[in-house]
Amino acid sequence: MIRVELAKLLRRPRTWVTIALLSGLPVIVGIFVKASGLAPRPGEGPALLSEVLNNGLLFPAAALAIILPLFLPIAVSVIGGDTVAGEAANGTLRYLLTRPVGRSRLLTAKLVTVITFIFLAVIVVALVALAAGVVLFGISPLSSISATELSPFQTFVRTMLAILYIGWSMLGLGAIALFASTRTDSPLAASLATLAAFVGSQVLDLIEATESIQPFLPTHYWLRFVDFYRDPILWRDVTAGAIVQLVYVAVFLGAAWANFTTKDVTS
Amino acid sequence: MSTSSVVLTHQLTKRYASGLLAVDGVDLDVREGDLFGFLGPNGAGKTTTIRMLLSLIAPTSGTVEVLGREVTLHSPHALEGVGTMVEGPAFYPYLSGERNLMIFDGAGAGGPRRTRRQRVRDVIERVGLADVGDRPVKAYSLGMRQRLGLASALLRTPRLLVLDEPTNGLDAQGIHELRTMFVDLVRDGTTIMLSSHLLAEVELICTRAAMMSAGRIVAQDDVRNLLAPTGWVRITTPDLERAVRALQDGPFHYEPIDPITVRVQIGDRAPELLNKAFVQDDIRVRELVVERPTLEDVFLERTGHGDIR
């Protein structure tokens, strides 16, 4: 079943259009930075973008920083919200279930497709950005970020860690989307519900009054991936971020499972 | 029991959260080799019943057995021998017809991967879509989708086909082809359960039928029994006056309907004897028809109201 679901994901034009758009935006930003020679000053604009003028190898990380706050979560909400509700709206859910595909198996396969999409997206974005970065900005033997200096090999390792962390950071939202998708027969409603959860988390993360709950918000530690570019790596926040995601995944997958395995399919 | 049941429900009941009692104590019995018509007006509860048979909806109470195994939301395994078409076909519009069938074949406990393409080709050919199998489904007409839906149900050569309103959207030619295909399938040993709100259509091919109205089964029997003669014959004769005079002396209840026709209630006696008596009296019989009800008549009689679409 997982193989079938992956085939559907990979053969669907929308998947690739989404990934192309995600990859395209950082490239456009890169071209303008190169053409104008104006990078944001350190501490302003997307993380690490200030450093890419000197070193194309840092562009993948900067690219991820560009899509991370908004575009990646939107893509995850759309793809995740579509998983079950899209099959319901399309009418194909009843045909899959009467093949028969066990409901737990179908949900597992859907989860795997969401995870696959997330990592496929961040990896493609990073690869496109690497190519663009090298072409636009060249390679420098030493990456210097603030006071830290990293060799190309270290930069590569740190970028791999950042990719893994950013993909991982999307899992909580992916689980929320999957849950929302089992609650409705409208993929749009499921995606919007997920986006509402995302925006809500962002809002709560901004104001001082909610400081006590902020560490538990799904989006709170997203941008801490920059800690992988410190020397030595600052593990505290990224570890907390990874654990928070696990909790969201456990809770919302459980809810999705409890809901989907008992609900009447009338679509 | 000489033939085994392939679908057996016991007191199957569904009350939706809204309080609507959609299905109310239904005992269905579809037997091996049947071409079973599941009839009733729209909204009678046919689709809800079928969805419970296929583990899509959880019954409020009662049990479902398909191909000898109990079916619940958590154990749909008995459906491996069942091909389905429920409330119209559905596909992934961005994929070709063939690719869609590959996906459905691969979902669940599919047949071997090695022979998948061949299986898909076979069923596509069988429903007459061989020429368009590689076109995306979004370019298909309604009738083509209906055929592709049937092809999908025929994958893995099921022992039982459960088809909900399969002729929807087809033209007269398509409906005729489908009917022929059903009869062929049943001859080859498949059991078909087929729902429809078009009673006349089912009358033509079904061997057994159940009728549903307002959530309950109002009749379930061999079509032959449902359509048994009413005990009345209808005689058309240019010599009606003399015929009526002859009937006055006879034992039968009768009623003239128009200047050349009279209905005679002969019960289970042979109609040819009546014919012989008339002929001996030199009464010319132009036509003698044994009256049988239509399924529609049966339905109206059992439900006691005339609201059928």
Side-chain angles (χ1 to χ4, degrees), chain B residues 29-286:
Chain B
D29 182 6
V30 181
R31 295 174 198 157
E32 185 138 36
D34 277 349
L35 211 174
F36 189 93
F38 187 35
L39 311 171
N42 293 325
K46 300 191 301 292
T47 297
T48 300
T49 304
I50 286 181
R51 281 178 180 265
M52 286 194 279
L53 300 183
L54 300 178
S55 89
L56 292 171
I57 288 182
T60 308
S61 62
T63 57
V64 175
E65 230 177 72
V66 173
L67 298 173
R69 296 163 77 183
E70 190 171 357
V71 169
T72 67
L73 247 49
H74 299 286
S75 63
H77 311 292
L79 301 180
E80 276 163 30
V82 182
T84 60
M85 190 147 84
V86 184
E87 280 190 289
F91 301 99
Y92 303 100
Y94 50 91
L95 297 174
S96 72
E98 228 177 273
R99 178 57 59 187
N100 264 286
L101 294 194
M102 305 268 285
I103 281 188
F104 286 119
D105 194 73
R113 270 169 63 75
R114 227 167 2 92
T115 54
R116 180 163 299 153
R117 191 168 289 273
Q118 193 53 47
R119 270 199 305 280
V120 167
R121 292 252 162 88
D122 288 347
V123 290
I124 281 197
E125 201 152 308
R126 179 150 197 186
V127 298
L129 288 177
D131 299 340
V132 293
D134 54 353
R135 269 197 242 159
V137 168
K138 60 184 164 203
Y140 279 27
S141 70
L142 191 57
M144 285 154 84
R145 280 172 207 235
Q146 202 76 11
R147 284 156 193 260
L148 192 63
L150 190 69
S152 172
L154 289 174
L155 284 166
R156 296 200 304 216
T157 43
R159 280 176 62 196
L160 168 68
L161 276 174
V162 177
L163 308 171
D164 190 14
E165 305 276 358
T167 53
N168 265 5
L170 292 183
D171 54 19
Q173 168 81 15
I175 291 176
H176 176 77
E177 282 173 18
L178 213 55
R179 248 188 238 135
T180 314
M181 196 185 298
F182 291 161
V183 172
D184 287 348
L185 281 164
V186 170
R187 190 177 305 134
D188 295 344
T190 313
T191 305
I192 297 182
M193 176 177 180
L194 146 78
S195 88
S196 181
H197 63 279
L198 302 171
L199 303 188
E201 176 182 279
V202 169
E203 208 168 292
L204 288 172
I205 52 170
C206 286
T207 56
R208 262 164 58 80
M211 293 186 185
M212 200 167 184
S213 170
R216 297 180 149 274
I217 297 290
V218 294
Q220 180 169 221
D221 203 344
D222 285 358
V223 169
R224 202 178 354 166
N225 295 341
L226 289 172
L227 301 185
T230 55
W232 287 84
V233 293
R234 184 182 292 250
I235 292 161
T236 311
T237 166
D239 308 320
L240 189 74
E241 255 172 67
R242 290 197 295 131
V244 167
R245 230 173 295 135
L247 285 166
Q248 270 167 356
D249 304 332
F252 301 131
H253 185 63
Y254 67 92
E255 50 184 37
I257 340 184
D258 62 41
I260 56 163
T261 314
V262 61
R263 290 176 78 221
V264 185
Q265 189 175 27
I266 59 165
D268 51 7
R269 258 158 297 187
E272 55 268 29
L273 294 179
L274 186 64
N275 187 42
K276 188 177 169 195
F278 276 144
V279 172
Q280 279 172 351
D281 280 358
D282 206 22
I283 297 166
R284 295 167 294 173
V285 175
R286 186 177 294 165

Side-chain angles (χ1 to χ4, degrees), chain A residues 87 94-95 99 264-265 267, chain B residues 14 51 86 92 104 156:
Chain A
E87 301 272 4
R94 59 178 182 267
Y95 288 107
R99 278 304 288 167
D264 286 346
V265 173
S267 62
Chain B
K14 179 65 184 182
R51 281 178 180 265
V86 184
Y92 303 100
F104 286 119
R156 296 200 304 216

